[in-house]
Each structure stands twice: as structure tokens, then as C-alpha cells.
Amino acid sequence: MKFYVQVATSRTEEIFPSVLIFFDEQRYIINVPEGTQRFFLEHKIRLSKLSHIFITSLSPECVNGLPGLILTLIECGLVDFTIIGPPGILEYVERTRPFVGTRK
């Protein structure tokens, strides 16, 4: 099984890093700070095979981009993904649901 890892960050302190792990048929992301989607767009990183989102902390540096990422994934038709995180992550996702527009 081949895989590679990419650290998503910018040269400025605008966004905190995310880590992407690419496998043949799956993609994992670790942490989703603000600006993550913009970084993916600018670097032409596709998330069509994203299967897992790992969050290491509920600090803004780790989760502020999560609602936007969820919205983008749903708009692209990707609804089968798993979010794994610390205690409180379910409540965070539930509270952002009105902004994301999900029902489930």
C-alpha cells in the first residue's frame, strides 16, 4: 500500500497547519484550521476521496475551518465521511449545523 503525507500550511501565519494523508482510495486530514479550504483550492488539492477528519483539539486553530469543509464536502456530494476528535467534537459539529445546513 502506497501513501504520502502533505503538510498544508502557508508561508505566513494566516493558517495553522493541517496534515493530509493520501492513500490510493482514501484521504485523511488532521485538523482543519481557518483557511484550509482556500489552501486546498490554491494548491489544487482534491478532497473527493476524503474519508476521515481527525481533530486533535477543540481549539480554534484546529476546528475553525471544519464547518466550511463539511459544507464543501456535502455540496460536492461527499456525505460518507467520519469525524474523529476529542470529547466535545460532536457538540461542536451539532452547534455549527445551522451554518452548514445539514440535517443529520
Side-chain angles (χ1 to χ4, degrees), residues 8 28 36 65 68 86 104:
Y28 299 156
T36 300
K104 186 171 146 181

Side-chain angles (χ1 to χ4, degrees), residues 7-77:
V7 177
T9 189
S10 67
R11 288 183 214 144
T12 67
E13 294 183 22
E14 281 178 32
I15 65 170
F16 289 82
S18 287
V19 176
L20 293 138
I21 304 170
F22 296 83
F23 290 93
D24 291 335
E25 296 298 321
Q26 292 183 326
R27 306 285 187 269
Y28 299 156
I29 184 170
I30 302 171
N31 292 330
V32 187
E34 189 70 37
T36 300
Q37 288 175 264
R38 184 179 66 235
F39 180 87
F40 293 157
L41 182 63
E42 290 173 356
H43 292 85
K44 298 180 174 116
I45 297 173
R46 291 209 219 145
L47 296 175
S48 60
K49 295 181 182 179
L50 185 68
S51 61
H52 289 78
I53 301 169
F54 295 93
I55 303 295
T56 60
S57 166
L58 292 178
S59 68
E61 296 84 10
C62 298
V63 298
N64 273 359
L66 185 58
L69 179 62
I70 292 171
L71 178 60
T72 299
L73 294 173
I74 291 170
E75 287 178 348
C76 293

